[in-house]
Amino acid sequence: MPAREHWGSRFSFIMATVAGRRSPWIVFAWLGIGTTFIIVATYLVLLSWIAGYLWMVVRGTFPTGTQAEVKPPLAHSSRAPCPS
């Protein structure tokens, strides 16, 4: 059974359409969509890092030891994102 839609939202959409103008709240809707996209993209990057480390652990290639021994295999994850 589909959820019931509130009559006010449908009524305001119909009235805005009849009046020939868009709701001024559309700006906030697009801001919400953009913000959600940025948050999801950020979490996707973090999850890819976690998945990479977990894959190294599962394969048994995760480096252990002193800092000098560990740094070369993990050097790719610590470089600057924008080379200067």
Side-chain angles (χ1 to χ4, degrees), residues 16-73:
T17 305
V18 170
R21 57 181 180 226
R22 294 171 60 181
S23 171
W25 294 100
I26 195 73
V27 172
F28 293 104
W30 282 109
L31 282 173
I33 291 170
T35 302
T36 303
F37 178 77
I38 291 170
I39 291 170
V40 168
T42 302
Y43 277 108
L44 185 62
V45 169
L46 294 175
L47 287 173
S48 68
W49 289 346
I50 292 169
Y53 286 123
L54 286 175
W55 184 244
M56 283 193 277
V57 168
V58 168
R59 286 186 2 208
T61 59
F62 190 80
T64 58
T66 64
Q67 185 177 4
E69 295 169 349
V70 171
K71 190 167 182 163

Side-chain angles (χ1 to χ4, degrees), residues 69-80:
E69 295 169 349
V70 171
K71 190 167 182 163
L74 299 179
H76 69 281
S77 62
S78 63
R79 64 178 177 226

